[in-house]
Amino acid sequence: MSAVLAMETPALTLADINRLDCVRFVAALGGVFEHSPWVATGAWAERPFVNIDHLHRAMMDVVRATSREVRIDFLRMHPELAGKEAQAGTMTGHSTTEQAGLNALSRDQLQTLRSLNAAYAAKHGFPFVIAVLANTRAQIFEALRTRTARDTDIELEAALDQIAIITRLRLGRLLASPVM
């Protein structure tokens, strides 16, 4: 592979983001929230952003301002950990990168994870969401067991808190600025 092909596209800066029209803004940031470009569309009006945290807060505010039903539908857009999307290779690039560590699960671990995922989804009506990159395997399994037992309204908020961690990390990787 030539050096030119191996180079990554340069990251956008916050100044670049603040100058984008809505269509380009959504094209650049619409994938930060899993299959939900409407989040970027809603946040665009909050420009100019003074830093990545301001941008992220605006995006999370869009999600949190929706009805409970919309938030649950939003959560349903997220892939199950090591689930059918991972097996089929149909996850987004972000999710594929973030779940890469789950590729090395033993057969027993994978079976346990699938069983726990099914119990969680049956109780809450949406997939278990956790910031995989911020947790060890043991922490993920323990959180899945603990969070399955929770009340669904509490768990809805916990899932959104995890999405906040995931999407903040994604923005940090996309923009030419350190994660703050």
Side-chain angles (χ1 to χ4, degrees), residues 10-30 32 40-41 43-49 55 59 171 174-175:
L12 292 168
T13 65
L14 197 61
D16 296 331
I17 292 296
N18 283 329
R19 285 191 295 268
L20 296 175
D21 63 27
C22 188
V23 171
R24 287 184 175 87
F25 183 88
V26 173
L29 300 178
V32 170
T41 301
W44 179 80
E46 297 299 314
R47 292 169 310 113
F49 301 105
L55 167 61
M59 295 178 94
L171 281 173
L174 285 174
L175 298 178

mmCIF file of all heavy atoms in Angstrom, residues 10-30 32 40-41 43-49 55 59 171 174-175:
data_model
loop_
_atom_site.group_PDB
_atom_site.id
_atom_site.type_symbol
_atom_site.label_atom_id
_atom_site.label_comp_id
_atom_site.label_asym_id
_atom_site.label_seq_id
_atom_site.Cartn_x
_atom_site.Cartn_y
_atom_site.Cartn_z
ATOM 1 N N PRO A 10 -7.321 13.932 7.482
ATOM 2 C CA PRO A 10 -7.057 14.790 8.637
ATOM 3 C C PRO A 10 -8.344 15.093 9.392
ATOM 4 O O PRO A 10 -9.405 15.240 8.800
ATOM 5 C CB PRO A 10 -6.466 16.067 8.030
ATOM 6 C CG PRO A 10 -6.433 15.880 6.566
ATOM 7 C CD PRO A 10 -6.996 14.549 6.228
ATOM 8 N N ALA A 11 -8.244 15.148 10.715
ATOM 9 C CA ALA A 11 -9.396 15.451 11.551
ATOM 10 C C ALA A 11 -9.826 16.902 11.351
ATOM 11 O O ALA A 11 -9.013 17.774 11.059
ATOM 12 C CB ALA A 11 -9.048 15.204 13.006
ATOM 13 N N LEU A 12 -11.104 17.122 11.506
ATOM 14 C CA LEU A 12 -11.629 18.474 11.468
ATOM 15 C C LEU A 12 -11.298 19.172 12.781
ATOM 16 O O LEU A 12 -11.184 18.532 13.828
ATOM 17 C CB LEU A 12 -13.151 18.438 11.303
ATOM 18 C CG LEU A 12 -13.691 17.933 9.980
ATOM 19 C CD1 LEU A 12 -15.198 17.695 10.085
ATOM 20 C CD2 LEU A 12 -13.384 18.930 8.878
ATOM 21 N N THR A 13 -11.190 20.466 12.721
ATOM 22 C CA THR A 13 -11.020 21.235 13.939
ATOM 23 C C THR A 13 -12.386 21.762 14.362
ATOM 24 O O THR A 13 -13.346 21.750 13.578
ATOM 25 C CB THR A 13 -10.075 22.429 13.719
ATOM 26 O OG1 THR A 13 -10.695 23.337 12.804
ATOM 27 C CG2 THR A 13 -8.709 21.975 13.197
ATOM 28 N N LEU A 14 -12.473 22.249 15.560
ATOM 29 C CA LEU A 14 -13.721 22.847 16.033
ATOM 30 C C LEU A 14 -14.075 24.074 15.189
ATOM 31 O O LEU A 14 -15.254 24.294 14.875
ATOM 32 C CB LEU A 14 -13.593 23.219 17.508
ATOM 33 C CG LEU A 14 -14.907 23.474 18.218
ATOM 34 C CD1 LEU A 14 -15.795 22.238 18.203
ATOM 35 C CD2 LEU A 14 -14.654 23.920 19.636
ATOM 36 N N ALA A 15 -13.060 24.824 14.779
ATOM 37 C CA ALA A 15 -13.310 25.982 13.899
ATOM 38 C C ALA A 15 -13.934 25.514 12.583
ATOM 39 O O ALA A 15 -14.864 26.155 12.072
ATOM 40 C CB ALA A 15 -12.014 26.746 13.644
ATOM 41 N N ASP A 16 -13.440 24.401 12.036
ATOM 42 C CA ASP A 16 -14.031 23.840 10.816
ATOM 43 C C ASP A 16 -15.499 23.492 11.048
ATOM 44 O O ASP A 16 -16.365 23.816 10.237
ATOM 45 C CB ASP A 16 -13.308 22.566 10.371
ATOM 46 C CG ASP A 16 -11.862 22.778 9.975
ATOM 47 O OD1 ASP A 16 -11.508 23.882 9.508
ATOM 48 O OD2 ASP A 16 -11.076 21.814 10.143
ATOM 49 N N ILE A 17 -15.771 22.822 12.147
ATOM 50 C CA ILE A 17 -17.138 22.394 12.485
ATOM 51 C C ILE A 17 -18.055 23.600 12.594
ATOM 52 O O ILE A 17 -19.185 23.592 12.094
ATOM 53 C CB ILE A 17 -17.130 21.579 13.804
ATOM 54 C CG1 ILE A 17 -16.419 20.250 13.625
ATOM 55 C CG2 ILE A 17 -18.538 21.383 14.364
ATOM 56 C CD1 ILE A 17 -17.079 19.297 12.660
ATOM 57 N N ASN A 18 -17.589 24.646 13.242
ATOM 58 C CA ASN A 18 -18.417 25.844 13.429
ATOM 59 C C ASN A 18 -18.746 26.547 12.118
ATOM 60 O O ASN A 18 -19.737 27.271 12.040
ATOM 61 C CB ASN A 18 -17.727 26.815 14.395
ATOM 62 C CG ASN A 18 -17.860 26.377 15.828
ATOM 63 O OD1 ASN A 18 -18.840 25.761 16.210
ATOM 64 N ND2 ASN A 18 -16.850 26.693 16.627
ATOM 65 N N ARG A 19 -17.942 26.335 11.088
ATOM 66 C CA ARG A 19 -18.181 26.983 9.785
ATOM 67 C C ARG A 19 -19.080 26.175 8.857
ATOM 68 O O ARG A 19 -19.520 26.682 7.830
ATOM 69 C CB ARG A 19 -16.849 27.239 9.084
ATOM 70 C CG ARG A 19 -16.050 28.387 9.659
ATOM 71 C CD ARG A 19 -14.879 28.743 8.747
ATOM 72 N NE ARG A 19 -13.903 27.667 8.664
ATOM 73 C CZ ARG A 19 -12.832 27.539 9.442
ATOM 74 N NH1 ARG A 19 -12.595 28.430 10.369
ATOM 75 N NH2 ARG A 19 -12.002 26.536 9.278
ATOM 76 N N LEU A 20 -19.339 24.919 9.183
ATOM 77 C CA LEU A 20 -20.093 24.065 8.274
ATOM 78 C C LEU A 20 -21.571 24.435 8.221
ATOM 79 O O LEU A 20 -22.168 24.777 9.244
ATOM 80 C CB LEU A 20 -19.977 22.602 8.713
ATOM 81 C CG LEU A 20 -18.588 21.984 8.661
ATOM 82 C CD1 LEU A 20 -18.616 20.570 9.233
ATOM 83 C CD2 LEU A 20 -18.046 21.971 7.233
ATOM 84 N N ASP A 21 -22.142 24.345 7.012
ATOM 85 C CA ASP A 21 -23.597 24.485 6.923
ATOM 86 C C ASP A 21 -24.209 23.210 7.502
ATOM 87 O O ASP A 21 -23.504 22.240 7.812
ATOM 88 C CB ASP A 21 -24.057 24.753 5.489
ATOM 89 C CG ASP A 21 -23.757 23.621 4.512
ATOM 90 O OD1 ASP A 21 -23.659 22.449 4.928
ATOM 91 O OD2 ASP A 21 -23.629 23.912 3.307
ATOM 92 N N CYS A 22 -25.512 23.196 7.667
ATOM 93 C CA CYS A 22 -26.171 22.070 8.343
ATOM 94 C C CYS A 22 -25.924 20.743 7.637
ATOM 95 O O CYS A 22 -25.640 19.727 8.284
ATOM 96 C CB CYS A 22 -27.663 22.350 8.478
ATOM 97 S SG CYS A 22 -28.515 21.131 9.501
ATOM 98 N N VAL A 23 -26.002 20.719 6.316
ATOM 99 C CA VAL A 23 -25.819 19.474 5.573
ATOM 100 C C VAL A 23 -24.418 18.915 5.794
ATOM 101 O O VAL A 23 -24.242 17.716 6.067
ATOM 102 C CB VAL A 23 -26.109 19.687 4.071
ATOM 103 C CG1 VAL A 23 -25.715 18.470 3.256
ATOM 104 C CG2 VAL A 23 -27.575 20.028 3.861
ATOM 105 N N ARG A 24 -23.412 19.761 5.713
ATOM 106 C CA ARG A 24 -22.035 19.295 5.903
ATOM 107 C C ARG A 24 -21.750 18.939 7.371
ATOM 108 O O ARG A 24 -20.994 18.022 7.661
ATOM 109 C CB ARG A 24 -21.059 20.340 5.389
ATOM 110 C CG ARG A 24 -21.034 20.405 3.868
ATOM 111 C CD ARG A 24 -19.979 21.401 3.356
ATOM 112 N NE ARG A 24 -19.889 21.373 1.924
ATOM 113 C CZ ARG A 24 -20.650 22.093 1.106
ATOM 114 N NH1 ARG A 24 -21.571 22.900 1.597
ATOM 115 N NH2 ARG A 24 -20.499 22.018 -0.198
ATOM 116 N N PHE A 25 -22.360 19.680 8.280
ATOM 117 C CA PHE A 25 -22.232 19.392 9.705
ATOM 118 C C PHE A 25 -22.754 17.986 10.001
ATOM 119 O O PHE A 25 -22.093 17.178 10.652
ATOM 120 C CB PHE A 25 -23.014 20.448 10.507
ATOM 121 C CG PHE A 25 -22.916 20.320 11.998
ATOM 122 C CD1 PHE A 25 -21.904 20.936 12.703
ATOM 123 C CD2 PHE A 25 -23.880 19.615 12.705
ATOM 124 C CE1 PHE A 25 -21.827 20.842 14.089
ATOM 125 C CE2 PHE A 25 -23.818 19.508 14.090
ATOM 126 C CZ PHE A 25 -22.787 20.124 14.775
ATOM 127 N N VAL A 26 -23.936 17.684 9.465
ATOM 128 C CA VAL A 26 -24.528 16.365 9.680
ATOM 129 C C VAL A 26 -23.702 15.291 8.971
ATOM 130 O O VAL A 26 -23.505 14.193 9.507
ATOM 131 C CB VAL A 26 -26.003 16.341 9.237
ATOM 132 C CG1 VAL A 26 -26.581 14.938 9.284
ATOM 133 C CG2 VAL A 26 -26.835 17.288 10.103
ATOM 134 N N ALA A 27 -23.177 15.606 7.802
ATOM 135 C CA ALA A 27 -22.319 14.635 7.107
ATOM 136 C C ALA A 27 -21.070 14.336 7.937
ATOM 137 O O ALA A 27 -20.606 13.194 7.990
ATOM 138 C CB ALA A 27 -21.929 15.168 5.727
ATOM 139 N N ALA A 28 -20.524 15.340 8.611
ATOM 140 C CA ALA A 28 -19.308 15.162 9.398
ATOM 141 C C ALA A 28 -19.569 14.481 10.744
ATOM 142 O O ALA A 28 -18.765 13.663 11.190
ATOM 143 C CB ALA A 28 -18.632 16.515 9.629
ATOM 144 N N LEU A 29 -20.697 14.809 11.375
ATOM 145 C CA LEU A 29 -20.917 14.359 12.749
ATOM 146 C C LEU A 29 -22.147 13.470 12.936
ATOM 147 O O LEU A 29 -22.412 12.997 14.042
ATOM 148 C CB LEU A 29 -21.039 15.571 13.686
ATOM 149 C CG LEU A 29 -19.825 16.497 13.737
ATOM 150 C CD1 LEU A 29 -20.084 17.670 14.661
ATOM 151 C CD2 LEU A 29 -18.575 15.746 14.140
ATOM 152 N N GLY A 30 -22.885 13.233 11.878
ATOM 153 C CA GLY A 30 -24.120 12.458 11.985
ATOM 154 C C GLY A 30 -23.928 11.036 12.453
ATOM 155 O O GLY A 30 -24.847 10.428 13.006
ATOM 156 N N VAL A 32 -21.825 10.065 14.826
ATOM 157 C CA VAL A 32 -21.335 10.004 16.205
ATOM 158 C C VAL A 32 -22.351 9.285 17.096
ATOM 159 O O VAL A 32 -21.991 8.503 17.961
ATOM 160 C CB VAL A 32 -21.021 11.417 16.744
ATOM 161 C CG1 VAL A 32 -20.747 11.395 18.241
ATOM 162 C CG2 VAL A 32 -19.841 12.018 15.994
ATOM 163 N N ALA A 40 -27.228 15.305 15.322
ATOM 164 C CA ALA A 40 -26.364 16.359 14.779
ATOM 165 C C ALA A 40 -27.207 17.482 14.175
ATOM 166 O O ALA A 40 -26.893 18.662 14.360
ATOM 167 C CB ALA A 40 -25.412 15.782 13.735
ATOM 168 N N THR A 41 -28.267 17.126 13.478
ATOM 169 C CA THR A 41 -29.149 18.148 12.888
ATOM 170 C C THR A 41 -29.671 19.074 13.975
ATOM 171 O O THR A 41 -29.658 20.298 13.826
ATOM 172 C CB THR A 41 -30.328 17.484 12.141
ATOM 173 O OG1 THR A 41 -29.808 16.643 11.119
ATOM 174 C CG2 THR A 41 -31.251 18.521 11.538
ATOM 175 N N ALA A 43 -28.380 19.680 16.940
ATOM 176 C CA ALA A 43 -27.321 20.417 17.637
ATOM 177 C C ALA A 43 -26.724 21.533 16.787
ATOM 178 O O ALA A 43 -26.147 22.485 17.321
ATOM 179 C CB ALA A 43 -26.211 19.456 18.061
ATOM 180 N N TRP A 44 -26.860 21.441 15.473
ATOM 181 C CA TRP A 44 -26.231 22.414 14.568
ATOM 182 C C TRP A 44 -26.593 23.852 14.927
ATOM 183 O O TRP A 44 -25.739 24.742 14.873
ATOM 184 C CB TRP A 44 -26.634 22.100 13.124
ATOM 185 C CG TRP A 44 -26.069 23.051 12.126
ATOM 186 C CD1 TRP A 44 -24.814 23.052 11.611
ATOM 187 C CD2 TRP A 44 -26.742 24.160 11.521
ATOM 188 N NE1 TRP A 44 -24.650 24.090 10.720
ATOM 189 C CE2 TRP A 44 -25.839 24.780 10.649
ATOM 190 C CE3 TRP A 44 -28.034 24.687 11.644
ATOM 191 C CZ2 TRP A 44 -26.165 25.903 9.906
ATOM 192 C CZ3 TRP A 44 -28.366 25.796 10.903
ATOM 193 C CH2 TRP A 44 -27.427 26.397 10.037
ATOM 194 N N ALA A 45 -27.818 24.095 15.322
ATOM 195 C CA ALA A 45 -28.278 25.459 15.620
ATOM 196 C C ALA A 45 -27.576 26.074 16.829
ATOM 197 O O ALA A 45 -27.639 27.297 17.014
ATOM 198 C CB ALA A 45 -29.790 25.462 15.844
ATOM 199 N N GLU A 46 -26.916 25.257 17.619
ATOM 200 C CA GLU A 46 -26.238 25.764 18.819
ATOM 201 C C GLU A 46 -24.854 26.346 18.534
ATOM 202 O O GLU A 46 -24.191 26.822 19.448
ATOM 203 C CB GLU A 46 -26.133 24.657 19.870
ATOM 204 C CG GLU A 46 -27.480 24.157 20.367
ATOM 205 C CD GLU A 46 -28.295 25.254 21.028
ATOM 206 O OE1 GLU A 46 -27.748 26.009 21.855
ATOM 207 O OE2 GLU A 46 -29.498 25.354 20.687
ATOM 208 N N ARG A 47 -24.406 26.283 17.276
ATOM 209 C CA ARG A 47 -23.101 26.826 16.930
ATOM 210 C C ARG A 47 -23.061 28.321 17.256
ATOM 211 O O ARG A 47 -24.100 28.965 17.238
ATOM 212 C CB ARG A 47 -22.806 26.652 15.428
ATOM 213 C CG ARG A 47 -22.602 25.272 14.981
ATOM 214 C CD ARG A 47 -22.572 25.160 13.447
ATOM 215 N NE ARG A 47 -23.698 25.837 12.849
ATOM 216 C CZ ARG A 47 -23.611 26.939 12.093
ATOM 217 N NH1 ARG A 47 -22.470 27.458 11.791
ATOM 218 N NH2 ARG A 47 -24.685 27.497 11.620
ATOM 219 N N PRO A 48 -21.923 28.901 17.482
ATOM 220 C CA PRO A 48 -20.597 28.268 17.496
ATOM 221 C C PRO A 48 -20.338 27.565 18.832
ATOM 222 O O PRO A 48 -20.779 28.005 19.877
ATOM 223 C CB PRO A 48 -19.640 29.435 17.304
ATOM 224 C CG PRO A 48 -20.339 30.600 17.936
ATOM 225 C CD PRO A 48 -21.819 30.354 17.684
ATOM 226 N N PHE A 49 -19.598 26.495 18.728
ATOM 227 C CA PHE A 49 -19.225 25.724 19.904
ATOM 228 C C PHE A 49 -17.870 26.219 20.399
ATOM 229 O O PHE A 49 -16.949 26.397 19.611
ATOM 230 C CB PHE A 49 -19.163 24.229 19.566
ATOM 231 C CG PHE A 49 -20.477 23.710 19.053
ATOM 232 C CD1 PHE A 49 -20.656 23.448 17.701
ATOM 233 C CD2 PHE A 49 -21.547 23.528 19.916
ATOM 234 C CE1 PHE A 49 -21.873 22.993 17.225
ATOM 235 C CE2 PHE A 49 -22.771 23.078 19.454
ATOM 236 C CZ PHE A 49 -22.936 22.806 18.104
ATOM 237 N N LEU A 55 -19.962 21.212 22.275
ATOM 238 C CA LEU A 55 -20.570 20.496 21.151
ATOM 239 C C LEU A 55 -21.246 19.221 21.651
ATOM 240 O O LEU A 55 -22.406 18.937 21.318
ATOM 241 C CB LEU A 55 -19.500 20.163 20.111
ATOM 242 C CG LEU A 55 -19.859 19.159 19.015
ATOM 243 C CD1 LEU A 55 -21.033 19.659 18.186
ATOM 244 C CD2 LEU A 55 -18.634 18.890 18.135
ATOM 245 N N MET A 59 -25.297 18.105 21.705
ATOM 246 C CA MET A 59 -25.794 16.879 21.081
ATOM 247 C C MET A 59 -26.556 16.026 22.091
ATOM 248 O O MET A 59 -27.643 15.512 21.797
ATOM 249 C CB MET A 59 -24.645 16.104 20.431
ATOM 250 C CG MET A 59 -24.015 16.873 19.262
ATOM 251 S SD MET A 59 -22.617 16.019 18.507
ATOM 252 C CE MET A 59 -23.479 15.167 17.175
ATOM 253 N N LEU A 171 -16.262 11.844 19.533
ATOM 254 C CA LEU A 171 -15.976 13.221 19.111
ATOM 255 C C LEU A 171 -14.493 13.534 19.284
ATOM 256 O O LEU A 171 -13.886 14.195 18.432
ATOM 257 C CB LEU A 171 -16.820 14.229 19.894
ATOM 258 C CG LEU A 171 -18.256 14.391 19.444
ATOM 259 C CD1 LEU A 171 -19.013 15.286 20.431
ATOM 260 C CD2 LEU A 171 -18.336 14.949 18.038
ATOM 261 N N LEU A 174 -12.680 12.161 16.393
ATOM 262 C CA LEU A 174 -12.993 12.789 15.115
ATOM 263 C C LEU A 174 -12.403 14.189 14.962
ATOM 264 O O LEU A 174 -12.073 14.600 13.850
ATOM 265 C CB LEU A 174 -14.515 12.910 14.928
ATOM 266 C CG LEU A 174 -15.249 11.630 14.580
ATOM 267 C CD1 LEU A 174 -16.743 11.887 14.580
ATOM 268 C CD2 LEU A 174 -14.806 11.094 13.226
ATOM 269 N N LEU A 175 -12.317 14.897 16.058
ATOM 270 C CA LEU A 175 -11.868 16.282 15.989
ATOM 271 C C LEU A 175 -10.408 16.407 16.402
ATOM 272 O O LEU A 175 -9.935 15.706 17.279
ATOM 273 C CB LEU A 175 -12.738 17.171 16.904
ATOM 274 C CG LEU A 175 -14.213 17.201 16.508
ATOM 275 C CD1 LEU A 175 -15.002 18.051 17.485
ATOM 276 C CD2 LEU A 175 -14.402 17.710 15.087
#
